[in-house]
Amino acid sequence: MKKYITASALAFMTTGAAAQDVSTTIPDAVGKVAPALQDYSSKDLIGTVWKGEELSTRDRALVTFAAMMTMHQTEELAAFTAVALDAGVEPAELAETITHLAFYTGWGNATAAATAMEPVFAERGVTAENLPSPDPELLPLDEEAEAARQELVSTNYGNVSQGVVDNTQQLLFLDLWLRPDLEPRDRSLVTVAALIASGQPDQMSFHLNKAMDNGLTQEEAGAVLAHLAFYTGWPKVFSAMPVAKDVFESREG
């Protein structure tokens, strides 16, 4: 199950220590090749965005990790694995993140992420005993919500691919989404981050609503967009902005 962050860890995260760890993700070569990029990186991305109070350092590390994995940026993933661990994300939560996102970004991205992460886990003494079981006791199912989701998907797509419909129900919503080592809010958070990073805003409406049902606030969701603009690029975020706007407005009514 999820291990809660200790008071000492929270104190660490509110100092400059976490931001200093993020600075290690900017290679020295950047300053030698593109000084202006180094300046934007140090002043705006690390010095301002990562310190924003709208979203915790832990959540920023988690969504950045999800974006890096989604975009198959494996050279950077080891550094962001370390950043996430230092920010309070548990090894089990990172393991669940790549397992979860295998279904949303593809098996190749997940296996490549595991390969990039393994040396960091080994260096920190993370073993299989620290990681989630393949067959844990699942969280309770919201049967009414799942029945409505399944009816909608089956009606619309059952005659297109019953295999997709069945696997979506059995593997994703009756299994993956109920695994306990990543909180429902965090599963939603990394899913939304992955959809933004992969440029799939059409899939975002359902999952952003689900994220907010699972506890993500509108302020936090807006901060995710602002944060990911730096890591996924402005066009992908602006493609997601109309979807977020519609979701926010629909929930105000």
Side-chain angles (χ1 to χ4, degrees):
M1 295 295 290
K2 181 175 179 179
K3 299 177 183 177
Y4 291 94
I5 300 171
T6 64
S8 60
L10 283 170
F12 171 82
M13 289 162 56
T14 56
T15 68
Q20 179 61 35
D21 286 345
V22 178
S23 70
T24 65
T25 65
I26 308 298
D28 292 340
V30 172
K32 297 175 182 178
V33 173
L37 177 58
Q38 175 66 47
D39 192 61
Y40 283 125
S41 298
S42 60
K43 290 183 179 178
D44 299 297
L45 176 56
I46 296 169
T48 302
V49 173
W50 272 91
K51 292 183 178 179
E53 296 181 356
E54 305 87 354
L55 196 66
S56 72
T57 303
R58 176 196 176 276
D59 286 351
R60 291 183 186 279
L62 192 57
V63 299
T64 307
F65 176 91
M68 294 294 104
M69 174 186 157
T70 299
M71 296 184 295
H72 206 75
Q73 295 185 5
T74 52
E75 291 186 5
E76 291 82 12
L77 204 55
F80 281 106
T81 298
V83 167
L85 292 171
D86 289 342
V89 182
E90 297 288 342
E93 293 171 325
L94 289 180
E96 281 295 303
T97 294
I98 68 168
T99 302
H100 183 88
L101 292 184
F103 290 86
Y104 287 92
T105 74
W107 241 245
N109 282 339
T111 57
T115 300
M117 294 163 63
E118 191 276 334
V120 181
F121 275 23
E123 181 181 356
R124 296 186 180 220
V126 178
T127 68
E129 295 179 354
N130 309 117
L131 301 176
S133 165
D135 189 26
E137 181 178 349
L138 299 178
L139 298 174
L141 174 69
D142 184 336
E143 296 184 4
E144 183 178 353
E146 172 54 21
R149 186 209 61 77
Q150 176 61 15
E151 176 65 24
L152 179 65
V153 173
S154 182
T155 299
N156 287 333
Y157 303 116
N159 63 346
V160 177
S161 176
Q162 190 61 44
V164 172
V165 171
D166 291 343
N167 287 335
T168 300
Q169 180 184 26
Q170 297 299 323
L171 296 180
L172 273 69
F173 288 97
L174 296 183
D175 189 345
L176 182 72
W177 276 90
L178 302 179
R179 290 176 58 84
D181 286 280
L182 191 64
E183 294 289 330
R185 173 189 176 278
D186 292 341
R187 285 194 185 275
S188 290
L189 184 65
V190 299
T191 306
V192 170
L195 293 174
I196 294 170
S198 60
Q200 298 189 59
D202 290 346
Q203 300 294 314
M204 202 175 103
S205 181
F206 171 83
H207 285 289
L208 183 54
N209 267 301
K210 187 175 179 68
M212 297 179 77
D213 289 343
N214 285 334
L216 188 73
T217 68
Q218 180 171 326
E219 182 181 39
E220 290 171 332
V224 169
L225 290 164
H227 184 95
L228 287 180
F230 287 84
Y231 288 101
T232 68
W234 256 250
K236 286 181 178 177
V237 165
F238 263 96
S239 293
M241 294 270 271
V243 178
K245 180 175 183 289
D246 288 345
V247 170
F248 296 163
E249 290 178 349
S250 71
R251 297 177 70 91
E252 291 173 357

